[in-house]
Amino acid sequence: MFENIGIFRVASGMISHATAQQKVTALNISNAETPGYTAKALKNFDISDRAPREMAMRSSRQGHLSSFTTLPSQGARTLDTKAPVDLETELLTSAQIEGDHQRAVGIYRSTLGILRSSLGKM
């Protein structure tokens, strides 16, 4: 039922992305001392990757929104940064990812609360 509501799809996508980022960060930390290993990274979450068509931006005239892309990208992929693993950076990234995850869960919970109250089912 909730998978058809756009904001739930976006929040679920944010949660999945944070999980994938945390896995990449854990992989980097666990391989910090591996000879020849370079740090991996995940591209940032893009709402157009998960947003349904009805939430996409639409232009109203020629040239409107020309600096933005409204096409969905390829999705989350692991990128090789070609740089050695820096443990301090990885730990800071891990803390930031936790905040991103908490934000996504908060969005999901808030939206669920609004939906419940609008239905009169507190």
Side-chain angles (χ1 to χ4, degrees), residues 29-91:
I29 291 171
S30 65
N31 286 299
E33 296 295 320
T34 303
Y37 182 84
T38 55
K40 308 291 186 269
L42 210 59
K43 73 175 194 138
N44 291 332
F45 178 78
D46 185 3
I47 195 168
S48 65
D49 291 339
R50 305 282 180 184
R53 278 243 183 259
E54 62 270 11
M55 289 183 65
M57 293 190 295
R58 294 185 181 99
S59 63
S60 60
R61 63 185 180 285
Q62 185 70 19
H64 183 220
L65 301 175
S66 62
S67 63
F68 296 99
T69 177
T70 57
L71 299 173
S73 60
Q74 292 292 331
R77 285 195 203 157
T78 304
L79 308 169
D80 191 351
T81 63
K82 308 282 190 223
V85 176
D86 179 25
L87 288 176
E88 289 178 359
T89 302
E90 295 300 326
L91 291 173

Short mmCIF file of all heavy atoms in Angstrom, two decimals, residues 29-91:
data_model
loop_
_atom_site.label_atom_id
_atom_site.label_comp_id
_atom_site.label_asym_id
_atom_site.label_seq_id
_atom_site.Cartn_x
_atom_site.Cartn_y
_atom_site.Cartn_z
N ILE A 29 37.24 0.47 5.57
CA ILE A 29 37.91 0.38 6.87
C ILE A 29 38.56 -1.00 7.04
O ILE A 29 39.69 -1.11 7.50
CB ILE A 29 36.93 0.70 8.01
CG1 ILE A 29 36.55 2.18 7.96
CG2 ILE A 29 37.52 0.33 9.37
CD1 ILE A 29 35.43 2.58 8.90
N SER A 30 37.83 -2.05 6.66
CA SER A 30 38.37 -3.40 6.85
C SER A 30 39.57 -3.68 5.94
O SER A 30 40.38 -4.55 6.24
CB SER A 30 37.28 -4.45 6.63
OG SER A 30 36.85 -4.45 5.30
N ASN A 31 39.69 -2.95 4.84
CA ASN A 31 40.80 -3.16 3.91
C ASN A 31 41.84 -2.04 3.97
O ASN A 31 42.65 -1.91 3.05
CB ASN A 31 40.27 -3.29 2.48
CG ASN A 31 39.61 -4.61 2.25
OD1 ASN A 31 40.23 -5.66 2.36
ND2 ASN A 31 38.32 -4.58 1.95
N ALA A 32 41.83 -1.25 5.02
CA ALA A 32 42.74 -0.10 5.12
C ALA A 32 44.21 -0.52 5.04
O ALA A 32 45.03 0.20 4.48
CB ALA A 32 42.49 0.67 6.40
N GLU A 33 44.54 -1.68 5.57
CA GLU A 33 45.93 -2.15 5.57
C GLU A 33 46.24 -3.11 4.44
O GLU A 33 47.34 -3.64 4.36
CB GLU A 33 46.23 -2.82 6.92
CG GLU A 33 46.15 -1.88 8.11
CD GLU A 33 47.21 -0.78 8.07
OE1 GLU A 33 48.36 -1.08 7.69
OE2 GLU A 33 46.88 0.36 8.41
N THR A 34 45.30 -3.36 3.56
CA THR A 34 45.52 -4.27 2.44
C THR A 34 46.37 -3.58 1.38
O THR A 34 46.00 -2.50 0.90
CB THR A 34 44.16 -4.70 1.81
OG1 THR A 34 43.35 -5.28 2.82
CG2 THR A 34 44.37 -5.68 0.68
N PRO A 35 47.50 -4.17 1.02
CA PRO A 35 48.37 -3.54 0.01
C PRO A 35 47.65 -3.40 -1.33
O PRO A 35 47.00 -4.32 -1.81
CB PRO A 35 49.54 -4.52 -0.11
CG PRO A 35 49.50 -5.35 1.12
CD PRO A 35 48.07 -5.40 1.54
N GLY A 36 47.74 -2.22 -1.91
CA GLY A 36 47.16 -1.96 -3.21
C GLY A 36 45.67 -1.63 -3.20
O GLY A 36 45.11 -1.30 -4.24
N TYR A 37 45.03 -1.72 -2.04
CA TYR A 37 43.60 -1.42 -1.97
C TYR A 37 43.40 0.09 -1.99
O TYR A 37 44.09 0.83 -1.31
CB TYR A 37 42.98 -2.01 -0.70
CG TYR A 37 41.49 -1.77 -0.58
CD1 TYR A 37 40.58 -2.60 -1.21
CD2 TYR A 37 40.99 -0.68 0.13
CE1 TYR A 37 39.22 -2.38 -1.12
CE2 TYR A 37 39.63 -0.45 0.24
CZ TYR A 37 38.75 -1.30 -0.39
OH TYR A 37 37.40 -1.08 -0.30
N THR A 38 42.47 0.55 -2.79
CA THR A 38 42.13 1.97 -2.82
C THR A 38 40.69 2.14 -2.34
O THR A 38 39.86 1.25 -2.50
CB THR A 38 42.29 2.56 -4.24
OG1 THR A 38 41.51 1.79 -5.15
CG2 THR A 38 43.75 2.55 -4.67
N ALA A 39 40.43 3.29 -1.77
CA ALA A 39 39.12 3.56 -1.18
C ALA A 39 38.03 3.55 -2.24
O ALA A 39 38.22 4.02 -3.36
CB ALA A 39 39.14 4.90 -0.47
N LYS A 40 36.89 3.00 -1.86
CA LYS A 40 35.70 2.99 -2.72
C LYS A 40 34.73 4.03 -2.18
O LYS A 40 34.77 4.40 -1.02
CB LYS A 40 35.03 1.62 -2.71
CG LYS A 40 35.94 0.45 -3.01
CD LYS A 40 36.40 0.44 -4.44
CE LYS A 40 37.18 -0.81 -4.78
NZ LYS A 40 38.60 -0.71 -4.57
N ALA A 41 33.87 4.51 -3.03
CA ALA A 41 32.86 5.50 -2.63
C ALA A 41 31.58 5.22 -3.41
O ALA A 41 31.60 4.56 -4.44
CB ALA A 41 33.35 6.91 -2.91
N LEU A 42 30.50 5.72 -2.89
CA LEU A 42 29.21 5.59 -3.53
C LEU A 42 28.76 6.98 -3.95
O LEU A 42 28.95 7.94 -3.19
CB LEU A 42 28.21 5.00 -2.53
CG LEU A 42 27.07 4.16 -3.04
CD1 LEU A 42 27.58 2.96 -3.81
CD2 LEU A 42 26.22 3.69 -1.89
N LYS A 43 28.20 7.09 -5.13
CA LYS A 43 27.73 8.42 -5.53
C LYS A 43 26.60 8.86 -4.60
O LYS A 43 25.94 8.03 -3.98
CB LYS A 43 27.29 8.45 -6.99
CG LYS A 43 26.01 7.76 -7.28
CD LYS A 43 25.62 7.96 -8.74
CE LYS A 43 24.18 7.55 -8.89
NZ LYS A 43 23.41 8.41 -9.69
N ASN A 44 26.41 10.15 -4.49
CA ASN A 44 25.39 10.69 -3.59
C ASN A 44 23.99 10.27 -4.01
O ASN A 44 23.73 10.03 -5.19
CB ASN A 44 25.47 12.21 -3.54
CG ASN A 44 26.73 12.69 -2.87
OD1 ASN A 44 27.28 12.01 -2.02
ND2 ASN A 44 27.19 13.85 -3.26
N PHE A 45 23.10 10.22 -3.03
CA PHE A 45 21.71 9.88 -3.30
C PHE A 45 21.10 10.95 -4.18
O PHE A 45 21.27 12.14 -3.95
CB PHE A 45 20.93 9.77 -1.99
CG PHE A 45 19.47 9.46 -2.19
CD1 PHE A 45 19.06 8.17 -2.48
CD2 PHE A 45 18.51 10.45 -2.12
CE1 PHE A 45 17.73 7.87 -2.67
CE2 PHE A 45 17.18 10.17 -2.31
CZ PHE A 45 16.78 8.87 -2.59
N ASP A 46 20.39 10.52 -5.19
CA ASP A 46 19.72 11.45 -6.11
C ASP A 46 18.24 11.11 -6.10
O ASP A 46 17.87 9.99 -6.41
CB ASP A 46 20.31 11.31 -7.51
CG ASP A 46 19.75 12.32 -8.50
OD1 ASP A 46 18.93 13.18 -8.10
OD2 ASP A 46 20.13 12.24 -9.68
N ILE A 47 17.43 12.06 -5.74
CA ILE A 47 16.00 11.82 -5.62
C ILE A 47 15.40 11.35 -6.94
O ILE A 47 14.44 10.59 -6.96
CB ILE A 47 15.26 13.06 -5.08
CG1 ILE A 47 13.85 12.69 -4.63
CG2 ILE A 47 15.23 14.17 -6.10
CD1 ILE A 47 13.16 13.76 -3.84
N SER A 48 15.97 11.75 -8.06
CA SER A 48 15.42 11.34 -9.36
C SER A 48 15.64 9.85 -9.62
O SER A 48 14.98 9.29 -10.48
CB SER A 48 16.01 12.17 -10.49
OG SER A 48 17.40 11.93 -10.61
N ASP A 49 16.56 9.22 -8.87
CA ASP A 49 16.75 7.78 -9.02
C ASP A 49 15.56 7.00 -8.47
O ASP A 49 15.27 5.91 -8.92
CB ASP A 49 18.00 7.30 -8.26
CG ASP A 49 19.28 7.80 -8.91
OD1 ASP A 49 19.24 8.15 -10.10
OD2 ASP A 49 20.30 7.82 -8.21
N ARG A 50 14.87 7.54 -7.47
CA ARG A 50 13.82 6.82 -6.78
C ARG A 50 12.43 7.45 -6.94
O ARG A 50 11.45 6.80 -6.66
CB ARG A 50 14.12 6.78 -5.28
CG ARG A 50 15.46 6.20 -4.94
CD ARG A 50 15.43 4.73 -5.02
NE ARG A 50 16.76 4.24 -4.67
CZ ARG A 50 17.09 2.99 -4.72
NH1 ARG A 50 16.24 2.09 -5.07
NH2 ARG A 50 18.31 2.62 -4.41
N ALA A 51 12.40 8.69 -7.34
CA ALA A 51 11.12 9.40 -7.37
C ALA A 51 10.23 8.88 -8.49
O ALA A 51 10.70 8.62 -9.59
CB ALA A 51 11.35 10.89 -7.57
N PRO A 52 8.97 8.73 -8.21
CA PRO A 52 8.05 8.33 -9.27
C PRO A 52 7.85 9.46 -10.26
O PRO A 52 8.17 10.61 -9.99
CB PRO A 52 6.76 8.01 -8.51
CG PRO A 52 6.85 8.80 -7.26
CD PRO A 52 8.32 8.90 -6.93
N ARG A 53 7.32 9.15 -11.40
CA ARG A 53 7.10 10.14 -12.46
C ARG A 53 6.34 11.36 -11.98
O ARG A 53 6.64 12.47 -12.36
CB ARG A 53 6.34 9.50 -13.61
CG ARG A 53 7.21 8.72 -14.53
CD ARG A 53 7.13 9.42 -15.87
NE ARG A 53 7.87 8.73 -16.88
CZ ARG A 53 9.07 9.10 -17.28
NH1 ARG A 53 9.68 10.08 -16.71
NH2 ARG A 53 9.67 8.47 -18.25
N GLU A 54 5.31 11.17 -11.15
CA GLU A 54 4.49 12.30 -10.75
C GLU A 54 5.23 13.28 -9.86
O GLU A 54 4.79 14.40 -9.68
CB GLU A 54 3.20 11.83 -10.07
CG GLU A 54 3.39 11.05 -8.79
CD GLU A 54 3.51 9.56 -8.99
OE1 GLU A 54 3.65 9.11 -10.12
OE2 GLU A 54 3.48 8.84 -7.98
N MET A 55 6.39 12.90 -9.30
CA MET A 55 7.16 13.81 -8.46
C MET A 55 8.28 14.50 -9.24
O MET A 55 8.95 15.36 -8.72
CB MET A 55 7.75 13.07 -7.27
CG MET A 55 6.72 12.66 -6.26
SD MET A 55 7.45 11.87 -4.83
CE MET A 55 8.40 13.19 -4.12
N ALA A 56 8.49 14.10 -10.49
CA ALA A 56 9.58 14.68 -11.28
C ALA A 56 9.26 16.12 -11.64
O ALA A 56 8.11 16.51 -11.79
CB ALA A 56 9.79 13.85 -12.54
N MET A 57 10.32 16.93 -11.78
CA MET A 57 10.13 18.32 -12.19
C MET A 57 9.69 18.37 -13.65
O MET A 57 10.12 17.56 -14.46
CB MET A 57 11.43 19.11 -12.01
CG MET A 57 11.85 19.28 -10.59
SD MET A 57 13.21 20.45 -10.38
CE MET A 57 14.52 19.61 -11.23
N ARG A 58 8.82 19.29 -13.94
CA ARG A 58 8.33 19.46 -15.31
C ARG A 58 8.55 20.92 -15.72
O ARG A 58 8.30 21.83 -14.96
CB ARG A 58 6.85 19.11 -15.39
CG ARG A 58 6.58 17.66 -15.13
CD ARG A 58 5.11 17.35 -15.35
NE ARG A 58 4.86 15.95 -15.07
CZ ARG A 58 4.37 15.49 -13.93
NH1 ARG A 58 4.07 16.31 -12.96
NH2 ARG A 58 4.18 14.20 -13.75
N SER A 59 8.98 21.09 -16.96
CA SER A 59 9.18 22.46 -17.43
C SER A 59 7.89 22.97 -18.04
O SER A 59 7.12 22.22 -18.64
CB SER A 59 10.31 22.51 -18.45
OG SER A 59 9.99 21.75 -19.58
N SER A 60 7.66 24.26 -17.88
CA SER A 60 6.43 24.86 -18.37
C SER A 60 6.61 25.57 -19.71
O SER A 60 5.65 25.90 -20.37
CB SER A 60 5.88 25.85 -17.34
OG SER A 60 6.83 26.86 -17.11
N ARG A 61 7.86 25.77 -20.11
CA ARG A 61 8.13 26.44 -21.38
C ARG A 61 9.55 26.09 -21.82
O ARG A 61 10.34 25.55 -21.05
CB ARG A 61 7.98 27.95 -21.23
CG ARG A 61 8.96 28.56 -20.25
CD ARG A 61 8.70 30.05 -20.02
NE ARG A 61 9.65 30.59 -19.09
CZ ARG A 61 9.66 30.41 -17.77
NH1 ARG A 61 8.73 29.66 -17.22
NH2 ARG A 61 10.58 30.96 -17.02
N GLN A 62 9.87 26.41 -23.05
CA GLN A 62 11.20 26.15 -23.60
C GLN A 62 12.27 26.87 -22.76
O GLN A 62 12.12 28.04 -22.46
CB GLN A 62 11.25 26.64 -25.05
CG GLN A 62 12.52 26.32 -25.77
CD GLN A 62 12.67 24.84 -26.06
OE1 GLN A 62 11.70 24.10 -26.05
NE2 GLN A 62 13.89 24.42 -26.32
N GLY A 63 13.30 26.18 -22.35
CA GLY A 63 14.38 26.79 -21.59
C GLY A 63 14.16 26.79 -20.09
O GLY A 63 15.07 27.08 -19.33
N HIS A 64 12.94 26.51 -19.63
CA HIS A 64 12.65 26.44 -18.21
C HIS A 64 13.31 25.20 -17.63
O HIS A 64 13.21 24.13 -18.19
CB HIS A 64 11.12 26.39 -18.01
CG HIS A 64 10.69 26.39 -16.59
ND1 HIS A 64 9.67 25.61 -16.14
CD2 HIS A 64 11.14 27.06 -15.50
CE1 HIS A 64 9.49 25.80 -14.85
NE2 HIS A 64 10.38 26.67 -14.44
N LEU A 65 14.02 25.35 -16.54
CA LEU A 65 14.76 24.26 -15.89
C LEU A 65 15.87 23.70 -16.78
O LEU A 65 16.26 22.56 -16.63
CB LEU A 65 13.83 23.12 -15.48
CG LEU A 65 12.70 23.46 -14.51
CD1 LEU A 65 11.81 22.24 -14.30
CD2 LEU A 65 13.26 23.92 -13.18
N SER A 66 16.39 24.48 -17.70
CA SER A 66 17.39 23.97 -18.64
C SER A 66 18.70 23.57 -17.96
O SER A 66 19.43 22.74 -18.48
CB SER A 66 17.68 25.01 -19.72
OG SER A 66 18.20 26.18 -19.13
N SER A 67 18.97 24.11 -16.79
CA SER A 67 20.21 23.76 -16.11
C SER A 67 20.07 22.52 -15.25
O SER A 67 21.04 22.04 -14.68
CB SER A 67 20.69 24.93 -15.25
OG SER A 67 19.75 25.20 -14.24
N PHE A 68 18.88 21.97 -15.16
CA PHE A 68 18.65 20.77 -14.36
C PHE A 68 18.39 19.59 -15.27
O PHE A 68 17.84 19.73 -16.35
CB PHE A 68 17.42 20.94 -13.45
CG PHE A 68 17.58 22.02 -12.43
CD1 PHE A 68 17.03 23.26 -12.63
CD2 PHE A 68 18.29 21.79 -11.27
CE1 PHE A 68 17.17 24.26 -11.71
CE2 PHE A 68 18.44 22.78 -10.33
CZ PHE A 68 17.88 24.03 -10.55
N THR A 69 18.77 18.42 -14.79
CA THR A 69 18.41 17.21 -15.50
C THR A 69 17.26 16.55 -14.76
O THR A 69 17.28 16.46 -13.54
CB THR A 69 19.61 16.25 -15.63
OG1 THR A 69 19.15 15.07 -16.28
CG2 THR A 69 20.21 15.89 -14.30
N THR A 70 16.27 16.13 -15.48
CA THR A 70 15.13 15.46 -14.84
C THR A 70 15.10 13.99 -15.18
O THR A 70 14.20 13.27 -14.79
CB THR A 70 13.81 16.11 -15.27
OG1 THR A 70 13.72 16.04 -16.69
CG2 THR A 70 13.71 17.54 -14.81
N LEU A 71 16.11 13.53 -15.91
CA LEU A 71 16.17 12.12 -16.26
C LEU A 71 16.80 11.33 -15.12
O LEU A 71 17.78 11.78 -14.52
CB LEU A 71 16.99 11.90 -17.53
CG LEU A 71 16.46 12.59 -18.78
CD1 LEU A 71 17.46 12.42 -19.91
CD2 LEU A 71 15.11 12.01 -19.16
N PRO A 72 16.27 10.15 -14.81
CA PRO A 72 16.89 9.36 -13.75
C PRO A 72 18.28 8.90 -14.18
O PRO A 72 18.50 8.59 -15.34
CB PRO A 72 15.94 8.17 -13.58
CG PRO A 72 14.94 8.25 -14.65
CD PRO A 72 15.08 9.55 -15.36
N SER A 73 19.19 8.88 -13.24
CA SER A 73 20.54 8.42 -13.54
C SER A 73 20.62 6.91 -13.38
O SER A 73 19.63 6.24 -13.13
CB SER A 73 21.54 9.12 -12.62
OG SER A 73 21.23 8.84 -11.30
N GLN A 74 21.80 6.37 -13.49
CA GLN A 74 21.98 4.93 -13.51
C GLN A 74 21.76 4.24 -12.16
O GLN A 74 21.70 3.04 -12.10
CB GLN A 74 23.40 4.60 -13.99
CG GLN A 74 23.64 4.94 -15.44
CD GLN A 74 22.83 4.06 -16.37
OE1 GLN A 74 22.54 2.92 -16.05
NE2 GLN A 74 22.46 4.58 -17.51
N GLY A 75 21.63 4.98 -11.09
CA GLY A 75 21.48 4.37 -9.77
C GLY A 75 22.80 4.36 -9.03
O GLY A 75 23.83 4.80 -9.53
N ALA A 76 22.78 3.83 -7.83
CA ALA A 76 23.97 3.85 -6.98
C ALA A 76 24.99 2.84 -7.48
O ALA A 76 24.69 1.68 -7.68
CB ALA A 76 23.57 3.54 -5.54
N ARG A 77 26.19 3.32 -7.69
CA ARG A 77 27.30 2.46 -8.09
C ARG A 77 28.50 2.77 -7.23
O ARG A 77 28.73 3.90 -6.84
CB ARG A 77 27.69 2.72 -9.54
CG ARG A 77 26.74 2.17 -10.54
CD ARG A 77 27.40 2.17 -11.89
NE ARG A 77 26.38 2.17 -12.90
CZ ARG A 77 26.55 2.60 -14.12
NH1 ARG A 77 27.69 3.10 -14.48
NH2 ARG A 77 25.58 2.55 -14.99
N THR A 78 29.30 1.74 -6.98
CA THR A 78 30.52 1.94 -6.23
C THR A 78 31.59 2.46 -7.18
O THR A 78 31.80 1.92 -8.26
CB THR A 78 30.99 0.61 -5.60
OG1 THR A 78 29.93 0.10 -4.81
CG2 THR A 78 32.20 0.80 -4.73
N LEU A 79 32.25 3.53 -6.78
CA LEU A 79 33.30 4.14 -7.58
C LEU A 79 34.63 3.95 -6.88
O LEU A 79 34.72 4.02 -5.66
CB LEU A 79 33.03 5.63 -7.75
CG LEU A 79 31.64 6.03 -8.26
CD1 LEU A 79 31.44 7.52 -8.12
CD2 LEU A 79 31.48 5.58 -9.70
N ASP A 80 35.67 3.72 -7.65
CA ASP A 80 37.01 3.62 -7.09
C ASP A 80 37.62 5.01 -7.09
O ASP A 80 37.74 5.64 -8.13
CB ASP A 80 37.86 2.66 -7.92
CG ASP A 80 39.16 2.30 -7.24
OD1 ASP A 80 39.50 2.91 -6.20
OD2 ASP A 80 39.85 1.40 -7.74
N THR A 81 38.00 5.49 -5.91
CA THR A 81 38.55 6.85 -5.81
C THR A 81 40.02 6.92 -6.19
O THR A 81 40.56 8.01 -6.32
CB THR A 81 38.39 7.39 -4.37
OG1 THR A 81 39.16 6.58 -3.49
CG2 THR A 81 36.93 7.40 -3.96
N LYS A 82 40.66 5.78 -6.34
CA LYS A 82 42.09 5.71 -6.66
C LYS A 82 42.97 6.30 -5.57
O LYS A 82 44.14 6.56 -5.77
CB LYS A 82 42.41 6.39 -7.99
CG LYS A 82 41.57 5.96 -9.16
CD LYS A 82 42.02 4.64 -9.70
CE LYS A 82 41.31 4.38 -11.02
NZ LYS A 82 40.83 3.06 -11.17
N ALA A 83 42.41 6.53 -4.39
CA ALA A 83 43.15 7.10 -3.27
C ALA A 83 43.26 6.06 -2.16
O ALA A 83 42.40 5.20 -2.02
CB ALA A 83 42.43 8.34 -2.75
N PRO A 84 44.33 6.14 -1.38
CA PRO A 84 44.43 5.21 -0.25
C PRO A 84 43.35 5.51 0.79
O PRO A 84 42.79 6.61 0.83
CB PRO A 84 45.83 5.48 0.31
CG PRO A 84 46.21 6.82 -0.20
CD PRO A 84 45.46 7.04 -1.47
N VAL A 85 43.07 4.52 1.61
CA VAL A 85 42.04 4.67 2.64
C VAL A 85 42.58 5.55 3.77
O VAL A 85 43.66 5.31 4.29
CB VAL A 85 41.63 3.29 3.21
CG1 VAL A 85 40.63 3.46 4.33
CG2 VAL A 85 41.06 2.42 2.11
N ASP A 86 41.82 6.57 4.12
CA ASP A 86 42.13 7.43 5.26
C ASP A 86 41.11 7.10 6.35
O ASP A 86 39.91 7.39 6.18
CB ASP A 86 42.05 8.89 4.84
CG ASP A 86 42.33 9.84 6.00
OD1 ASP A 86 43.02 9.44 6.96
OD2 ASP A 86 41.86 11.00 5.93
N LEU A 87 41.56 6.51 7.44
CA LEU A 87 40.64 6.05 8.48
C LEU A 87 39.83 7.18 9.10
O LEU A 87 38.64 7.01 9.39
CB LEU A 87 41.39 5.27 9.56
CG LEU A 87 41.88 3.89 9.13
CD1 LEU A 87 42.70 3.25 10.25
CD2 LEU A 87 40.72 2.99 8.75
N GLU A 88 40.43 8.33 9.29
CA GLU A 88 39.70 9.46 9.87
C GLU A 88 38.55 9.88 8.96
O GLU A 88 37.43 10.11 9.41
CB GLU A 88 40.63 10.64 10.10
CG GLU A 88 41.60 10.42 11.24
CD GLU A 88 42.56 11.58 11.41
OE1 GLU A 88 42.48 12.56 10.65
OE2 GLU A 88 43.38 11.51 12.33
N THR A 89 38.83 9.96 7.68
CA THR A 89 37.78 10.31 6.72
C THR A 89 36.67 9.28 6.71
O THR A 89 35.49 9.62 6.68
CB THR A 89 38.38 10.45 5.30
OG1 THR A 89 39.41 11.44 5.33
CG2 THR A 89 37.33 10.82 4.29
N GLU A 90 37.03 8.02 6.76
CA GLU A 90 36.04 6.94 6.74
C GLU A 90 35.16 6.98 8.00
O GLU A 90 33.96 6.76 7.91
CB GLU A 90 36.71 5.58 6.60
CG GLU A 90 37.44 5.37 5.28
CD GLU A 90 36.54 5.47 4.06
OE1 GLU A 90 35.37 5.07 4.12
OE2 GLU A 90 37.03 5.96 3.02
N LEU A 91 35.75 7.26 9.14
CA LEU A 91 34.97 7.34 10.37
C LEU A 91 34.03 8.54 10.35
O LEU A 91 32.88 8.45 10.80
CB LEU A 91 35.89 7.38 11.59
CG LEU A 91 36.65 6.07 11.86
CD1 LEU A 91 37.66 6.26 12.98
CD2 LEU A 91 35.69 4.94 12.17
#
